[in-house]
């Protein structure tokens, strides 16, 4: 049962998860703490934090996994203060944090732009809890400092940490360089990362996009040409949504779905309204083709009752254009739309998003 719940959580299949929840109650399996922890994980990953907190509250003696599930759900759904409060409650309950707990806490600090607090938590791992930070913890620290614009401190961390920097470290810092438009450091990070993983197209894509952002379109095109010559391609963006106990998978630009004509008509209608609104409101977004999350959204709008929330899971980050588009859809339609990208959830409602556009 715990395994089935974990699978439903990863897929974001809420309907199946609820059926499993009902079966666990009827069969008595819900009394097992592994099943209860699975329910906390399921509801947290599906964007239903009230249900996740209710499931957590029914656990007689929460263990480390229970607390980690609660903190993870709160942090990924944008409830940063509540996630850090849950960490304090965990300590007050006498449950010792483990390395995973600190990965979650550092992630919460990163999502909440709490740079100084994130540094304090990182230092407390060894000083207060005798937990030796691993490479994953340093990746989070690099991300926290990098997104905060403290790039010199990031380089000091990389040079002094007790591990050899891997490609993920350099990719993380490259993203920060893109956010802060630091071309020289970005070029250095891309070079180092490609030396470790020459087949990863993300380094070329991030660097090319940075050049574009800085007005160096010539360098952007040159970088994409090198990527093309090396025959490197980004993994296709995929999104899926569960409708009536069936998972529907969408790939950007595909036309194989049985309802594809209706889907495109729905998108064209929404796009027309969005462009008209953008013209009058001065919304600064670029043109975007039909990404997988847009296809999944249009399909769900065509096949769900008016008040039923829509839950979309994506295998990559949502782009700025699609993020603005989904916000606009919830401005038009009184409906909650939840998009999960990796470990972060975007809960759209009434023209706003839980991530506050970060």
């Amino acid at each position: 049962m715990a395994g089935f719940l974990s699978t439903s959580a990863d897929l974001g299949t809420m309907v199946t998860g609820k059926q499993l929840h009902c079966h666990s109650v009827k069969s008595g399996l819900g009394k097992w703490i592994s099943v209860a922890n699975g329910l906390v994980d399921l509801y947290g990953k599906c964007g239903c934090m009230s249900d996740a907190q209710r499931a957590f509250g029914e656990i007689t003696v929460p263990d480390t996994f229970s607390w980690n599930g609660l903190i993870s759900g709160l942090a990924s759904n944008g409830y940063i203060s509540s996630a850090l409060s849950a960490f304090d409650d965990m300590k007050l309950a006498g449950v010792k944090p483990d390395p995973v707990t600190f990965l979650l806490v550092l992630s919460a600090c990163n999502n909440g732009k709490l740079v100084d607090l994130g540094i304090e938590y990182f230092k407390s791992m060894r000083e207060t809890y005798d937990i030796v930070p691993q490479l994953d913890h340093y990746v989070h620290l690099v991300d926290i400092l990098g997104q905060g614009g403290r790039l010199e401190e990031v380089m000091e961390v990389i040079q002094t940490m007790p591990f050899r920097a891997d490609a993920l470290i350099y990719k993380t810092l490259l993203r920060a360089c893109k956010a802060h438009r630091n071309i020289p450091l970005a070029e250095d990070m891309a070079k180092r990362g490609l030396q470790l993983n020459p087949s990863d197209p993300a380094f070329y894509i991030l660097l090319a996009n940075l050049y574009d952002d800085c007005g160096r379109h010539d360098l952007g095109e040159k970088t994409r040409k090198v990527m093309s010559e090396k025959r490197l391609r980004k993994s296709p963006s995929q999104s899926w949504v569960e409708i009536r106990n069936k998972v529907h998978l969408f790939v950007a630009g595909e036309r194989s779905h049985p309802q594809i004509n209706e889907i495109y008509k729905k998108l064209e209608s929404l796009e027309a309204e969005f462009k008209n609104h953008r013209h009058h409101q001065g919304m600064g977004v670029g043109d975007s083709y039909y990404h997988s999350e847009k296809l999944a959204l249009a399909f769900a709008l065509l096949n769900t009752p008016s008040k039923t929330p829509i839950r979309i899971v994506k295998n990559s980050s949502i782009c700025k254009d699609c993020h603005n588009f989904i916000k606009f859809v919830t401005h038009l339609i009184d409906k909650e739309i939840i998009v999960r990208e990796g470990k972060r959830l975007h809960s759209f409602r009434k023209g706003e998003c839980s991530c506050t556009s970060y």
Side-chain angles (χ1 to χ4, degrees):
M1 177 58 68
F4 281 132
L5 286 169
S6 176
T7 301
S8 294
D10 290 340
L11 286 173
T13 51
M14 183 69 169
V15 175
T16 302
K18 282 189 172 182
Q19 292 172 344
L20 290 167
H21 188 178
C22 291
H23 181 69
S24 70
V25 172
K26 293 177 181 178
S27 63
L29 293 173
K31 296 178 181 178
W32 289 76
I33 193 167
S34 59
V35 175
N37 289 343
L39 290 171
V40 175
D41 184 44
L42 167 74
Y43 288 120
K45 287 181 177 176
C46 288
C48 296
M49 275 316 301
S50 58
D51 290 326
Q53 289 171 307
R54 188 178 299 112
F56 178 85
E58 292 174 356
I59 301 174
T60 306
V61 184
D63 61 11
T64 304
F65 295 101
S66 311
W67 285 104
N68 285 351
L70 179 64
I71 295 169
S72 176
L74 289 166
S76 62
N77 280 278
Y79 302 108
I80 306 303
S81 297
S82 297
L84 299 180
S85 294
F87 177 58
D88 292 334
D89 292 339
M90 176 185 186
K91 294 182 289 182
L92 289 172
V95 180
K96 185 178 179 181
D98 66 2
V100 174
T101 310
F102 278 97
L103 285 175
L104 298 170
V105 169
L106 291 172
S107 177
C109 290
N110 188 29
N111 291 348
K113 310 177 190 177
L114 305 174
V115 179
D116 292 329
L117 189 58
I119 296 172
E120 289 182 22
Y121 280 127
F122 182 86
K123 290 180 178 178
S124 72
M125 289 180 61
R126 190 189 300 269
E127 296 173 358
T128 306
Y129 301 98
D130 198 29
I131 296 175
V132 179
Q134 299 302 307
L135 185 58
D136 286 346
H137 297 100
Y138 279 96
V139 171
H140 278 287
L141 180 61
V142 166
D143 204 8
I144 289 170
L145 290 169
Q147 295 301 329
R150 294 158 70 163
L151 301 181
E152 291 183 4
E153 293 178 57
V154 174
M155 292 306 300
E156 184 178 348
V157 168
I158 292 176
Q159 292 167 0
T160 59
M161 66 182 186
F163 304 97
R164 182 188 176 190
D166 64 358
L168 181 56
I169 286 276
Y170 293 127
K171 194 186 304 181
T172 302
L173 183 50
L174 179 54
R175 289 195 186 98
C177 291
K178 180 182 179 300
H180 298 284
R181 302 192 175 189
N182 188 322
I183 290 179
L185 184 58
E187 291 173 335
D188 185 30
M189 293 302 101
K191 180 180 178 181
R192 296 191 194 192
L194 287 169
Q195 287 175 344
L196 295 174
N197 190 357
S199 62
D200 189 345
F203 290 102
Y204 292 99
I205 294 170
L206 287 167
L207 191 58
N209 290 342
L210 169 59
Y211 287 138
D212 290 343
D213 292 345
C214 295
R216 296 301 308 273
H217 300 289
D218 55 329
L219 293 177
E221 287 303 314
K222 182 179 179 181
T223 303
R224 293 186 183 91
K225 183 178 179 181
V226 172
M227 177 179 161
S228 178
E229 289 172 350
K230 293 180 179 292
R231 297 183 179 180
L232 299 178
R233 292 185 178 181
K234 181 182 178 182
S235 298
S237 174
Q238 298 179 342
S239 298
W240 56 92
V241 61
E242 182 187 26
I243 304 291
R244 290 186 285 275
N245 286 337
K246 183 178 180 181
V247 176
H248 296 260
L249 179 68
F250 296 90
V251 179
E254 74 159 0
R255 302 196 66 94
S256 60
H257 196 278
Q259 284 185 259
I260 195 63
N261 291 332
E262 297 173 65
I263 290 170
Y264 272 72
K265 285 180 181 178
K266 183 66 173 178
L267 273 180
E268 287 166 5
S269 172
L270 291 170
E271 287 277 6
E273 290 194 59
F274 178 65
K275 289 179 179 178
N276 182 58
H277 179 83
R278 180 181 64 180
H279 174 72
H280 290 295
Q281 300 296 326
M283 295 177 65
V285 298
D287 295 326
S288 66
Y289 58 93
Y290 293 133
H291 288 183
S292 62
E293 59 267 46
K294 282 188 176 181
L295 297 174
L297 172 59
F299 172 75
L301 289 172
L302 289 168
N303 291 277
T304 56
S306 58
K307 295 294 183 180
T308 303
I310 292 174
R311 292 180 172 83
I312 299 169
V313 183
K314 198 171 185 294
N315 71 339
S316 58
S317 298
I318 185 172
C319 75
K320 181 180 178 181
D321 288 0
C322 289
H323 190 274
N324 285 334
F325 179 78
I326 298 174
K327 282 171 64 175
F328 177 68
V329 170
T330 60
H331 178 76
L332 288 178
I333 303 170
D334 185 16
K335 197 177 189 71
E336 182 181 18
I337 301 172
I338 299 168
V339 180
R340 191 177 90 202
E341 47 164 18
K343 295 181 179 179
R344 177 180 291 189
L345 286 95
H346 297 263
S347 179
F348 300 89
R349 187 192 290 270
K350 296 182 179 179
E352 299 295 334
C353 179
S354 59
C355 76
T356 62
S357 298
Y358 178 61

